[in-house]
Coordinates of all heavy atoms in Angstrom, one line a residue:
H1 N 8.3 -23.3 24.9 CA 8.7 -24.3 24.0 C 10.2 -24.1 23.6 O 10.6 -24.9 22.6 CB 7.8 -24.4 22.9 CG 6.4 -24.8 23.2 ND1 6.0 -26.1 23.6 CD2 5.2 -24.1 23.3 CE1 4.7 -26.1 23.9 NE2 4.3 -24.9 23.8
G2 N 10.9 -23.3 24.1 CA 12.4 -23.2 23.9 C 12.8 -22.6 22.5 O 13.9 -22.7 22.2
A3 N 11.9 -21.9 21.9 CA 12.2 -21.1 20.7 C 13.0 -19.8 21.2 O 13.0 -19.4 22.3 CB 10.9 -20.8 19.9
R4 N 13.6 -19.3 20.1 CA 14.4 -18.1 20.3 C 13.7 -16.9 19.5 O 13.3 -17.2 18.4 CB 15.8 -18.2 19.9 CG 16.6 -19.2 20.9 CD 18.0 -19.4 20.5 NE 18.7 -18.2 20.0 CZ 20.0 -18.1 19.3 NH1 20.5 -19.3 19.0 NH2 20.4 -17.1 19.1
W5 N 13.7 -15.6 20.1 CA 13.3 -14.6 19.4 C 14.5 -14.2 18.4 O 15.7 -14.3 18.8 CB 13.3 -13.3 20.3 CG 12.0 -13.3 21.1 CD1 11.9 -13.2 22.4 CD2 10.7 -13.3 20.6 NE1 10.7 -13.3 22.8 CE2 9.8 -13.2 21.6 CE3 10.1 -13.3 19.3 CZ2 8.4 -13.3 21.7 CZ3 8.6 -13.5 19.3 CH2 7.8 -13.3 20.3
I6 N 14.2 -14.0 17.1 CA 15.1 -13.6 16.2 C 14.9 -12.2 15.6 O 13.7 -11.9 15.3 CB 15.1 -14.6 14.9 CG1 15.2 -16.0 15.4 CG2 16.0 -14.2 13.9 CD1 16.6 -16.3 16.2
T7 N 15.8 -11.4 15.6 CA 15.8 -10.1 14.9 C 16.9 -10.1 13.8 O 17.7 -11.1 13.7 CB 16.2 -9.0 15.9 OG1 17.6 -9.1 16.4 CG2 15.3 -9.0 17.1
T8 N 16.9 -9.0 13.0 CA 18.0 -9.0 12.0 C 19.4 -9.0 12.7 O 20.3 -9.5 12.1 CB 17.8 -7.7 11.2 OG1 17.8 -6.5 12.0 CG2 16.5 -7.8 10.3
D9 N 19.5 -8.5 13.9 CA 20.8 -8.5 14.6 C 21.2 -10.0 15.1 O 22.4 -10.2 15.3 CB 20.7 -7.6 15.9 CG 20.6 -6.1 15.4 OD1 21.1 -5.7 14.4 OD2 20.2 -5.4 16.4
T10 N 20.2 -10.8 15.3 CA 20.6 -12.2 16.0 C 20.4 -13.2 14.8 O 20.7 -14.4 15.0 CB 19.7 -12.5 17.1 OG1 18.3 -12.6 16.7 CG2 19.8 -11.5 18.3
L11 N 19.9 -12.8 13.7 CA 19.6 -13.8 12.6 C 20.9 -14.6 12.2 O 20.7 -15.8 12.2 CB 19.1 -13.1 11.3 CG 18.7 -14.0 10.1 CD1 17.8 -15.1 10.5 CD2 18.3 -13.2 9.0
A12 N 22.0 -14.0 11.9 CA 23.1 -14.8 11.5 C 23.6 -15.7 12.5 O 23.9 -16.9 12.2 CB 24.2 -13.7 11.1
A13 N 23.7 -15.3 13.8 CA 24.1 -16.4 14.8 C 23.2 -17.6 14.8 O 23.6 -18.7 15.0 CB 24.2 -15.6 16.2
F14 N 21.9 -17.3 14.7 CA 20.8 -18.4 14.8 C 21.0 -19.2 13.5 O 21.1 -20.4 13.7 CB 19.4 -17.9 14.9 CG 18.5 -18.9 14.9 CD1 18.1 -19.7 16.1 CD2 17.6 -19.2 13.8 CE1 17.2 -20.7 16.1 CE2 16.7 -20.2 13.8 CZ 16.5 -20.9 15.0
A15 N 21.0 -18.6 12.4 CA 21.0 -19.4 11.0 C 22.3 -20.1 11.0 O 22.3 -21.2 10.5 CB 20.9 -18.4 10.0
D16 N 23.4 -19.6 11.5 CA 24.7 -20.3 11.2 C 25.0 -21.4 12.2 O 26.1 -22.2 12.2 CB 25.9 -19.3 11.4 CG 25.9 -18.3 10.2 OD1 25.3 -18.6 9.1 OD2 26.5 -17.2 10.3
G17 N 24.1 -21.7 13.2 CA 24.3 -22.7 14.2 C 24.2 -24.0 13.5 O 23.6 -24.3 12.3
A18 N 24.7 -25.0 14.0 CA 24.7 -26.3 13.5 C 23.3 -27.0 13.5 O 22.5 -26.8 14.3 CB 25.7 -27.3 14.2
G19 N 23.2 -27.7 12.4 CA 21.9 -28.5 12.2 C 20.7 -27.7 11.7 O 20.9 -26.7 11.1
D20 N 19.5 -28.3 11.7 CA 18.4 -27.8 11.0 C 17.8 -26.6 12.0 O 17.6 -27.0 13.2 CB 17.4 -28.8 10.8 CG 17.7 -29.7 9.6 OD1 17.7 -29.3 8.5 OD2 18.3 -30.9 9.8
R21 N 17.3 -25.6 11.4 CA 16.7 -24.5 12.1 C 15.4 -24.1 11.3 O 15.4 -24.2 10.1 CB 17.6 -23.3 12.2 CG 19.1 -23.6 12.6 CD 19.0 -23.8 14.1 NE 20.2 -24.1 14.7 CZ 20.9 -23.5 15.6 NH1 20.4 -22.3 16.1 NH2 22.1 -23.8 16.1
V22 N 14.4 -23.7 12.1 CA 13.2 -23.1 11.4 C 13.0 -21.8 11.8 O 12.9 -21.5 13.0 CB 12.0 -24.1 11.7 CG1 10.7 -23.5 11.2 CG2 12.2 -25.5 11.2
L23 N 12.8 -20.8 10.8 CA 12.5 -19.5 11.2 C 10.9 -19.4 11.0 O 10.4 -19.7 9.9 CB 13.2 -18.5 10.2 CG 14.6 -18.4 10.4 CD1 15.2 -17.6 9.1 CD2 15.0 -17.7 11.7
F24 N 10.2 -18.9 12.0 CA 8.8 -18.9 12.0 C 8.5 -17.4 11.7 O 8.8 -16.5 12.5 CB 8.1 -19.3 13.3 CG 6.6 -19.1 13.3 CD1 5.9 -19.4 12.3 CD2 6.1 -18.7 14.5 CE1 4.5 -19.3 12.3 CE2 4.8 -18.6 14.7 CZ 3.8 -18.8 13.5
L25 N 7.9 -17.1 10.6 CA 7.4 -15.7 10.2 C 5.8 -15.9 10.3 O 5.1 -16.4 9.5 CB 7.7 -15.4 8.8 CG 9.2 -15.4 8.5 CD1 9.5 -15.6 6.9 CD2 9.9 -14.2 9.0
S26 N 5.3 -15.3 11.5 CA 3.9 -15.4 11.9 C 2.9 -14.5 11.1 O 1.8 -14.7 10.7 CB 3.6 -15.4 13.2 OG 4.0 -14.0 13.7
G27 N 3.5 -13.3 10.8 CA 2.8 -12.3 10.1 C 1.7 -11.6 11.2 O 1.7 -12.0 12.3
D28 N 1.1 -10.5 10.8 CA 0.2 -9.8 11.6 C -1.0 -10.7 11.9 O -1.7 -11.2 11.0 CB -0.3 -8.6 10.8 CG -1.3 -7.9 11.5 OD1 -1.8 -8.1 12.6 OD2 -1.8 -6.7 10.9
P29 N -1.3 -10.9 13.2 CA -2.3 -11.9 13.5 C -3.7 -11.4 13.1 O -4.7 -12.2 13.1 CB -2.3 -12.1 15.1 CG -1.4 -10.7 15.6 CD -0.6 -10.4 14.3
V30 N -3.9 -10.1 12.9 CA -5.3 -9.8 12.4 C -5.4 -10.1 10.9 O -6.4 -10.6 10.4 CB -5.4 -8.3 12.7 CG1 -6.7 -7.7 12.1 CG2 -5.4 -7.9 14.1
R31 N -4.3 -9.8 10.1 CA -4.3 -10.0 8.8 C -4.1 -11.4 8.4 O -4.8 -12.0 7.4 CB -3.4 -9.1 8.0 CG -3.7 -7.7 8.0 CD -2.6 -6.9 7.2 NE -2.5 -7.3 5.8 CZ -1.3 -7.4 5.1 NH1 -0.2 -6.9 5.6 NH2 -1.4 -7.7 3.9
F32 N -3.4 -12.1 9.1 CA -3.1 -13.6 8.9 C -3.4 -14.4 10.2 O -2.4 -14.8 10.8 CB -1.6 -13.7 8.5 CG -1.1 -12.9 7.3 CD1 -0.5 -11.6 7.5 CD2 -1.5 -13.1 6.0 CE1 -0.1 -10.8 6.5 CE2 -1.3 -12.3 4.9 CZ -0.6 -11.1 5.2
P33 N -4.5 -14.6 10.6 CA -4.8 -15.3 11.7 C -4.4 -16.8 11.8 O -4.1 -17.3 12.8 CB -6.4 -15.3 11.9 CG -6.9 -14.9 10.4 CD -5.8 -14.2 9.8
E34 N -4.1 -17.4 10.7 CA -3.5 -18.7 10.5 C -2.1 -18.8 11.2 O -1.7 -19.8 11.5 CB -3.6 -19.3 9.2 CG -2.9 -18.6 8.1 CD -3.7 -17.4 7.4 OE1 -4.8 -17.1 7.9 OE2 -3.2 -16.8 6.5
G35 N -1.4 -17.6 11.2 CA -0.1 -17.6 11.9 C -0.3 -18.1 13.4 O 0.6 -18.8 13.8
V36 N -1.4 -17.7 14.0 CA -1.5 -18.3 15.4 C -1.8 -19.9 15.4 O -1.2 -20.6 16.3 CB -2.7 -17.5 16.0 CG1 -3.0 -18.1 17.4 CG2 -2.5 -16.0 16.2
D37 N -2.6 -20.2 14.4 CA -2.6 -21.7 14.3 C -1.3 -22.4 14.1 O -1.1 -23.5 14.6 CB -3.6 -22.0 13.1 CG -5.0 -21.6 13.3 OD1 -5.5 -21.3 14.4 OD2 -5.6 -21.3 12.2
V38 N -0.4 -21.9 13.2 CA 0.8 -22.4 13.0 C 1.7 -22.4 14.3 O 2.4 -23.3 14.6 CB 1.6 -21.7 11.9 CG1 3.0 -22.2 11.7 CG2 0.8 -21.9 10.6
A39 N 1.5 -21.5 15.1 CA 2.2 -21.3 16.4 C 1.8 -22.5 17.3 O 2.6 -22.9 18.1 CB 2.0 -19.9 17.1

């Protein structure tokens, strides 16, 4: 689906890009299974 992996090293470059951006924090899929639903 064209998303990009974001690490602390790549966060600034992604965040500073033009337009709207969404960072997805999914959480541990065992503790937070709804993260898979959001994905």
Side-chain angles (χ1 to χ4, degrees):
H1 296 288
R4 291 179 43 196
W5 284 120
I6 303 299
T7 65
T8 53
D9 293 336
T10 62
L11 176 61
F14 178 78
D16 290 342
D20 288 286
R21 310 288 176 121
V22 174
L23 292 171
F24 177 42
L25 302 162
S26 64
D28 176 357
V30 173
R31 290 183 58 213
F32 306 105
E34 58 274 5
V36 175
D37 297 332
V38 175

